[in-house]
Amino acid sequence: MRVFVACGTGVLERRLVPLLVARGHQVTATTTSAAKLGVVEQLGADGVVMDGLDAVSVGKAVAAARPDVIVHQMTGLSAAHAGKPDMKHPDRIFAGTARLRSEGTDHLLAAAEAAGVSHFVAQSFAAFNGIREGGWVGG
């Protein structure tokens, strides 16, 4: 199966990509920096530079990869994207990720539809319980 991993160099992806490759999948993984293409290749994937907030960039990357499935792992949490962590201003830290999770997801879904990709997996995250009653979110 051809798997397109949108963001292939993060903490999770450095484990995910080799697992997919080891199971015989042909993986194309993206990065926002040409300097990180070597990291993607070391993980066993074909690398492509892509800007998840640029619909044209996303469309070209997906079309070229011709994937059977897209795995959306894009975040903007690295220091290069979010700056120095400052928990007094979480809105600043998570602003890039929020855009990637909304606009970036829209771009990936549009590219998937245009390329005839029928399977789409998106990672998510919840770190807060919400209300103080009941158990943890998820479970």
Side-chain angles (χ1 to χ4, degrees), residues 34-43:
K36 289 188 177 179
L37 287 172
V39 172
V40 174
E41 292 169 2
Q42 287 176 351
L43 297 174

Side-chain angles (χ1 to χ4, degrees), residues 96-135:
T97 296
R99 283 190 68 203
L100 286 165
R101 297 282 169 81
S102 57
E103 294 172 46
T105 299
D106 289 344
H107 297 327
L108 281 171
L109 287 169
E113 184 175 16
V117 179
S118 59
H119 294 83
F120 189 96
V121 178
Q123 64 110 312
S124 187
F125 173 76
F128 306 101
N129 286 358
I131 61 171
R132 293 180 183 217
E133 301 167 0

Side-chain angles (χ1 to χ4, degrees), residues 61-94:
V62 170
R66 298 177 300 116
D68 300 303
V69 62
I70 293 175
V71 179
H72 178 357
Q73 294 288 117
M74 295 187 298
T75 67
L77 296 174
S78 71
H81 295 286
K84 183 179 177 184
D86 177 4
M87 291 313 289
K88 291 182 181 180
H89 302 283
D91 54 321
R92 294 178 193 163
I93 297 169
F94 298 111

